[in-house]
Amino acid sequence: MNNKLTALSRRIGYEFNDPSLLELAMTHKSVSNKSNYERLEFLGDSIVNFLIAAKLFDKFEGAKEGQLSRLRAKLVKGETLAMLARKMDLGGTLLLGSGELKSGGFRRDSILADAFESLIGAIYIDAGLDRCEELVLGWYEELLAEITLEHTEKDPKTRLQEYLQAQKKPLPQYTIVGIDGQAHAQIFRVICEIDGVDTGAEGVGPSRRYAEQMAAEKALELLSIK
């Protein structure tokens, strides 16, 4: 096992019985189409969803299914997984092809999230569910401590759409008005236009989806909707 993988093993607090699993978990398909982390990612995705769902089920005894689903979605979405991956410096450990290295793939949310899931899959195969659960919940400890049922509130785009539908008004229109930065670190600017409101609401973010959510949030403020 190379020095980077050994250092990662120390950071996550787990030494693999089969070090080749960790190497596979950190190998992007740009290195090898046949031997990469995609299968482990598939497994890890299911495991993290299950472990977080079980923890939320225990933590919020009176919560409804929809509330639990929204909380889980918040905790296992790509941005959250990428954030946890950055805390482990998975990006600095990933084995990437030259093209992905040049384009900054080690900083990309989608790749970091996939690597986080593949790591979980590898630990499950190497040590079983109990040890995997111990590690995953440890990584999530701070997020799980902070999350409350208040986080089940619907996202701004959904709230804005439902409000306009209730008022029998046309749905909002989202338009990209600018994209700044290089390909691996783009910043999107989106305008949300609403029928009957003269001023468009602008949102900015690292993805079109995020920028649209920010624009919808501004539109709700313009409409004085909390």
Side-chain angles (χ1 to χ4, degrees):
M1 193 161 62
N2 67 38
N3 291 338
K4 286 187 176 181
L5 293 174
T6 300
L8 173 61
S9 186
R10 292 196 193 100
R11 286 197 301 276
I12 65 175
Y14 179 72
E15 184 175 349
F16 276 78
N17 298 303
D18 180 1
S20 67
L21 279 169
L22 178 57
E23 182 172 1
L24 183 62
M26 293 297 105
T27 302
H28 187 258
K29 63 181 178 182
S30 60
V31 175
S32 171
N33 279 324
K34 292 184 178 180
S35 182
N36 57 61
Y37 64 46
E38 288 186 331
R39 283 171 55 83
L40 289 175
E41 175 206 338
F42 164 78
L43 184 60
D45 174 71
S46 298
I47 293 168
V48 73
N49 270 273
F50 163 68
L51 292 177
I52 295 303
K55 186 64 177 179
L56 292 172
F57 184 86
D58 289 339
K59 180 173 181 175
F60 299 106
E61 293 184 5
K64 297 179 180 178
E65 182 271 340
Q67 291 176 304
L68 293 173
S69 293
R70 286 191 286 275
L71 288 178
R72 180 181 61 180
K74 182 178 179 65
L75 291 172
V76 302
K77 65 182 181 180
E79 291 126 309
T80 303
L81 300 183
M83 178 194 71
L84 292 170
R86 287 190 177 93
K87 287 186 176 181
M88 301 174 178
D89 190 25
L90 291 193
T93 314
L94 279 168
L95 304 174
L96 300 168
S98 58
E100 283 293 348
L101 278 172
K102 289 178 182 177
S103 66
F106 56 92
R107 290 190 294 263
R108 196 170 301 136
D109 275 8
S110 58
I111 290 179
L112 290 171
D114 291 347
F116 182 79
E117 291 176 335
S118 67
L119 177 63
I120 291 172
I123 292 171
Y124 169 75
I125 291 175
D126 195 64
L129 186 59
D130 288 345
R131 183 69 173 118
C132 189
E133 178 180 16
E134 180 183 350
L135 288 164
V136 170
L137 295 184
W139 301 334
Y140 268 96
E141 183 177 8
E142 186 176 338
L143 292 174
L144 286 166
E146 292 175 350
I147 202 162
T148 69
L149 289 178
E150 292 178 5
H151 290 98
T152 62
E153 184 177 281
K154 295 177 182 177
D155 64 81
K157 282 185 70 175
T158 301
R159 289 164 54 209
L160 179 60
Q161 179 174 314
E162 290 182 350
Y163 170 80
L164 293 174
Q165 287 175 328
Q167 300 296 315
K168 301 189 184 303
K169 293 183 177 180
L171 294 180
Q173 297 296 314
Y174 297 91
T175 306
I176 296 177
V177 294
I179 303 176
D180 303 316
Q182 299 182 8
H184 63 274
Q186 292 181 325
I187 298 296
F188 291 77
R189 290 191 297 116
V190 169
I191 291 290
C192 173
E193 297 176 291
I194 305 170
D195 188 50
V197 178
D198 294 334
T199 305
E202 182 174 341
V204 179
S207 68
R208 176 176 180 171
R209 179 179 176 276
Y210 187 88
E212 287 179 351
Q213 293 286 5
M214 294 301 98
E217 185 71 55
K218 292 283 182 62
L220 288 167
E221 291 175 7
L222 288 173
L223 295 168
S224 299
I225 300 171
K226 296 182 179 181

